[in-house]
Amino acid sequence: MSGAPEPDRLLEGLDPEQREVAAAPLGPMVVLAGAGTGKTRAITHRIAYGVASGAYPPDRVLAVTFTARAAGEMRTRLRGLGVRGVQARTFHAAALRQLQFFWPQAVGGPPPNVVAHKAPAVAEAAGRLRLRLDRPALRDVAAEIEWAKVSMLTSQTYAARARSLRRSVADLDPTAMARLLEAYHEVCSERHVIDFEDVLLLTVGMLDEHPQIAATIHDQYRHFVVDEYQDVNPLQQQLLELWRGRREDVCVVGDPAQSIYSFTGASADHLLGFSRLHPDARRVRLVRNYRSSPQIVHLANLVLSSADGRRDTSADLVAQSDDGPPPVLTSYPDDEAEAAGVAESIRALLDGGQEPSQVAVLYRTNSQSEVLESALARAGIPYLVRGGERFFSRGEVRNAIVLLRAAVRSDDGSQPLGESVRHVLSGAGWAPRPPEGSGAVRERWESLQALALLADSLVEQTPGARTSDLVAELDRRAAEQHAPTVQGITLASLHAAKGLEWDAVFLVGASEGLLPITLADTPERVEEERRLLYVGLTRARRRLEVSWAGARSPGARSSRSVSRFLASASGVLGAGAQSSRPARGRRERGRRTPAPPRTCRSCGAILTSAAERKIGRCDDCPATYDEATFAALREWRRDVAAQTSVPAYVVFTDATLIAIAEHEPADRDALAQISGVGERKLELYGEAVLGILSATPPTTR
């Protein structure tokens, strides 16, 4: 055979640092990989090189990461390199597989069920202690239980640790939270269920207490790769130590500058201290950024380095891409004006040919998305909220896969795969041209279009592929939750955006109080907020627009200032063309008159939140709507959401439904005046809503 041996061919096309990672498949290694530096490429080539060179068989490798999407991407890349059999899983998936397999041997009987959500058990535990917790408090308590477990704290040790860290949850003191933690454990035990943290805890206990099971694991897995190692928490680190035993073949990859999950118990200390635990470890730093333009990379470096003058500049990213437009900083008078300005810029991008799937709007907190969703809907821009319904759970996707399975028998290969698949998908509602505008109909089309494009991609990789190959690929992706790309711009929090990238990124809310958020009350927490902004900036490939608003609502006093993190970057940020544009409805000439504050219809107090202003009363005041009407509206919304395969809030938010029930509009004009309805939703749902209002008999007033 001519040419270089296959192992050497695997090293071709890697940069010097990536090659150093890949060419040393044995022994301990720590890879400090900056954003966009090709870390997944480096570690998958390392595994592939190890297999091709005979250093280890693939089924002896365990590669762990933190999301099913990342694990699926790793398996896909390994298959592309000709490697099959490597176990690439999340910590939880790997642990659950082992726990279920060894449970009969370690404990006996069937293993407990894993609950997807803690809230029901938390609510029951709180009820036993006569604690009244609303839905936000239940979520906070569930998050605190997760933190306690991954920090390996019990109900006996929690209170002292929580006091030392000044943790406060749902107005519960540490002693009360410790009692709630114990009650939650009792509820789960009685139901014979466990949560996701218990999966790790029980696996740790099983390996620690049963040497024969640990020996089986040590014999099975002899080489380890851990991605995103800066996100490891103490419990995951303990599990990793039990998995590897005394073996030194472990490669960890991470970036201290992207350590943003301390609230979950994660710490970059494990990454930074790896060489102390493994003195012979090889250390490689990846700094060549292939994702972003030099202008974006320069801004990201400035934001990170301005923390103090002592930061190690050897960690600065070095751009490898072509020049792009300078990042832009735009100021707006208020949040609504900011959302409208961002929607206008995105509309211009899409009209210029930009693919919607390559545009994202990022924000610090999920509550910021509502005003953005309204502005995008008014502009007719399709969007997806990251963290919503999973792709393979959508009704149109499930139906399409059923049709594709049925078409396998009739596919004799006489037609190209893309053509035959589109013919099948037409039976599920696909058409060559997308429907006008946005909304549920457009979202369904985008889901089906993603399946059609996946068929085209499969043919590029495997010429001659047929429908059966596509169905097998979809089954694999569904198991791994590795969804194909859907055409719509992405709305995501900065935390949810980590690990993703887009051609154009709009980062909103870059003001004091949001970045850093007000809750960041220590120097350590402020610096984590800086890293969070850094993560957001480095999601952009070519275009980056950062914006902030002086006030929360139109007419309010401008009390905000631009984020301190951008102070050192003023020289590289261009001013947005819309920075002085007034908000909609404001006077453009002369002295602006602030709009009068809106007051509660029940008690007369000034309304402070957008939800309160939408319904016209304080959250604490009793509802003034007819309960039967509100119940009928919610039941209708649930049915519409199920029929169109969208989350219920996409139809109408709770605040909008309450406002409709309280105002009881009698015609379309009156319904259109309610915040959250809008022209598009009036057209889609107006007749049905007015019909419900006229048909529901009042029960209370």
Side-chain angles (χ1 to χ4, degrees):
M1 188 172 88
S2 61
E6 186 167 341
D8 291 340
R9 286 204 299 269
L10 288 168
L11 302 180
E12 295 174 358
L14 301 180
D15 68 31
E17 294 78 25
Q18 293 171 346
R19 180 185 287 259
E20 184 178 355
V21 173
L26 296 175
M29 175 181 287
V30 55
V31 182
L32 301 175
T37 56
K39 66 178 178 64
T40 305
R41 177 179 174 82
I43 59 177
T44 52
H45 278 73
R46 182 181 192 269
I47 295 171
Y49 184 84
V51 172
S53 64
Y56 40 68
D59 59 354
R60 292 294 187 262
V61 180
L62 177 60
V64 289
T65 187
F66 285 81
T67 66
R69 178 187 174 277
E73 174 69 16
M74 190 176 293
R75 285 192 290 268
T76 299
R77 293 204 189 191
L78 286 170
R79 275 194 297 271
L81 295 172
V83 178
R84 297 178 182 271
V86 170
Q87 293 298 308
R89 301 179 179 274
T90 64
F91 271 99
H92 286 90
L96 180 60
R97 191 167 184 241
Q98 294 171 16
L99 189 67
Q100 291 174 334
F101 183 83
F102 290 109
W103 185 272
Q105 178 181 343
V107 181
N113 294 322
V114 181
V115 294
H117 305 287
K118 293 182 176 65
V122 173
E124 183 174 339
R128 293 183 181 185
L129 298 177
R130 298 186 177 181
L131 296 172
R132 298 183 62 183
L133 301 177
D134 58 16
R135 289 179 63 184
L138 285 174
R139 289 196 299 267
D140 289 345
V141 168
E144 188 69 1
I145 290 173
E146 292 176 12
W147 176 81
K149 289 188 175 186
V150 302
S151 300
M152 305 184 75
L153 300 173
T154 66
S155 56
Q156 289 74 36
T157 59
Y158 168 83
R161 180 71 178 277
R163 287 192 185 95
S164 69
L165 297 176
R166 296 185 298 167
R167 295 182 72 91
S168 177
V169 182
D171 293 328
L172 298 174
D173 63 54
T175 301
M177 184 63 214
R179 290 199 298 268
L180 186 51
L181 188 64
E182 179 65 24
Y184 171 80
H185 176 71
E186 292 173 356
V187 170
C188 291
S189 296
E190 292 169 9
R191 294 182 178 182
H192 193 57
V193 297
I194 58 176
D195 57 33
F196 284 109
E197 289 69 46
D198 288 331
V199 170
L200 302 185
L201 283 166
L202 290 171
T203 305
V204 165
M206 180 180 69
L207 296 177
D208 194 37
E209 297 173 12
H210 296 272
Q212 72 280 11
I213 294 177
T216 302
I217 296 294
H218 296 159
D219 183 61
Q220 173 65 48
Y221 299 120
R222 304 180 182 185
H223 311 274
F224 300 87
V225 175
V226 187
D227 194 12
E228 302 289 2
Y229 195 57
Q230 78 280 348
D231 295 334
V232 163
N233 59 48
L235 178 55
Q236 290 165 332
Q237 178 63 28
Q238 178 67 15
L239 180 58
L240 176 63
E241 293 302 306
L242 289 168
W243 275 342
R244 74 177 185 87
R246 297 181 180 180
R247 300 191 184 280
E248 288 291 303
D249 279 336
V250 56
C251 172
V252 299
V253 188
D255 182 10
Q258 297 187 72
S259 175
I260 58 173
Y261 293 112
S262 67
F263 62 92
T264 68
S267 171
D269 291 345
H270 301 295
L271 175 66
L272 297 173
F274 184 83
S275 295
R276 291 194 297 271
L277 190 62
H278 303 270
D280 297 330
R282 185 188 295 259
R283 182 185 177 96
V284 183
R285 189 185 292 276
L286 304 182
V287 296
R288 301 173 197 256
N289 178 283
Y290 297 94
R291 175 189 300 156
S292 305
S293 69
Q295 290 80 3
I296 294 172
V297 167
H298 183 45
L299 172 61
N301 285 336
L302 281 176
V303 166
L304 204 58
S305 63
S306 61
D308 57 61
R310 299 181 299 277
R311 196 179 73 86
D312 181 8
T313 57
S314 66
D316 282 355
L317 299 175
V318 180
Q320 307 295 303
S321 300
D322 295 334
D323 280 348
V328 170
L329 176 64
T330 307
S331 64
Y332 292 93
D334 54 69
D335 289 348
E336 289 189 15
E338 182 180 25
V342 168
E344 183 178 322
S345 296
I346 293 174
R347 181 75 272 166
L349 272 183
L350 301 185
D351 290 345
Q354 177 67 65
E355 291 289 335
S357 63
Q358 289 304 320
V359 181
V361 183
L362 308 182
Y363 38 79
R364 175 60 179 87
T365 67
N366 288 324
S367 62
Q368 293 171 261
S369 75
E370 182 178 0
V371 66
L372 291 162
E373 291 183 56
S374 297
L376 292 168
R378 285 194 299 269
I381 298 171
Y383 65 86
L384 305 162
V385 180
R386 182 158 181 82
E389 185 180 27
R390 289 183 170 184
F391 180 84
F392 289 101
S393 298
R394 299 174 188 172
E396 66 272 15
V397 173
R398 295 198 304 269
N399 182 43
I401 293 176
V402 170
L403 294 176
L404 288 168
R405 284 190 202 284
V408 168
R409 292 182 181 177
S410 59
D411 184 3
D412 58 5
S414 60
Q415 284 185 316
L417 179 62
E419 183 178 328
S420 60
V421 165
R422 284 168 172 80
H423 177 72
V424 173
L425 294 179
S426 64
W430 179 87
R433 294 175 61 87
E436 296 293 330
S438 58
V441 174
R442 178 61 182 254
E443 289 177 5
R444 286 200 302 274
W445 185 89
E446 296 289 1
S447 296
L448 299 175
Q449 175 72 353
L451 296 177
L453 295 177
L454 181 62
D456 296 340
S457 176
L458 184 61
V459 170
E460 290 179 7
Q461 297 175 12
T462 311
R466 295 167 63 172
T467 307
S468 58
D469 300 307
L470 177 62
V471 169
E473 175 72 3
L474 288 169
D475 287 343
R476 180 186 65 77
R477 284 175 173 258
E480 300 169 358
Q481 284 301 324
H482 183 195
T485 301
V486 175
Q487 289 297 316
I489 79 157
T490 300
L491 295 178
S493 70
L494 290 168
H495 284 99
K498 187 172 176 294
L500 304 174
E501 58 188 73
W502 297 270
D503 286 346
V505 167
F506 293 80
L507 200 158
V508 303
S511 60
E512 289 290 305
L514 286 172
L515 275 171
I517 200 165
T518 307
L519 297 175
D521 54 359
T522 66
E524 293 78 16
R525 290 173 180 169
V526 168
E527 288 311 306
E528 183 163 334
E529 293 288 303
R530 183 190 303 277
R531 296 193 295 271
L532 190 58
L533 174 59
Y534 172 82
V535 166
L537 299 177
T538 54
R539 299 310 94 193
R541 296 193 191 101
R542 301 291 300 165
R543 184 185 184 99
L544 174 64
E545 295 197 15
V546 184
S547 59
W548 65 285
R552 183 172 182 177
S553 56
R557 182 175 64 87
S558 181
S559 59
R560 295 172 177 165
S561 59
V562 69
S563 171
R564 72 189 75 172
F565 302 144
L566 298 172
S568 65
S570 57
V572 300
L573 280 164
Q578 301 159 336
S579 59
S580 60
R581 188 181 69 181
R584 292 187 307 137
R586 285 192 178 187
R587 300 179 181 179
E588 296 192 29
R589 297 179 182 177
R591 187 177 181 85
R592 295 175 182 169
T593 303
R598 298 185 61 182
T599 57
C600 175
R601 70 163 66 96
S602 296
C603 69
I606 294 176
L607 303 176
T608 57
S609 72
E612 288 178 341
R613 288 193 295 273
K614 179 178 288 190
I615 64 177
R617 62 172 171 79
C618 301
D619 286 337
D620 296 333
C621 286
T624 57
Y625 56 77
D626 175 48
E627 292 183 2
T629 299
F630 183 62
L633 287 169
R634 290 195 67 176
E635 184 176 358
W636 164 81
R637 181 183 65 172
R638 183 196 62 201
D639 292 342
V640 171
Q643 292 167 8
T644 56
S645 299
V646 299
Y649 68 83
V650 171
V651 181
F652 282 125
T653 64
D654 281 348
T656 299
L657 282 191
I658 291 172
I660 292 172
E662 295 201 335
H663 288 86
E664 294 186 336
D667 52 37
R668 288 173 65 92
D669 290 340
L671 181 59
Q673 298 304 310
I674 293 177
S675 177
V677 176
E679 189 174 320
R680 184 179 68 87
K681 292 189 178 181
L682 183 66
E683 186 65 30
L684 287 173
Y685 311 127
E687 185 176 343
V689 169
L690 292 173
I692 292 170
L693 295 175
S694 63
T696 307
T699 55
T700 59
R701 283 284 185 266

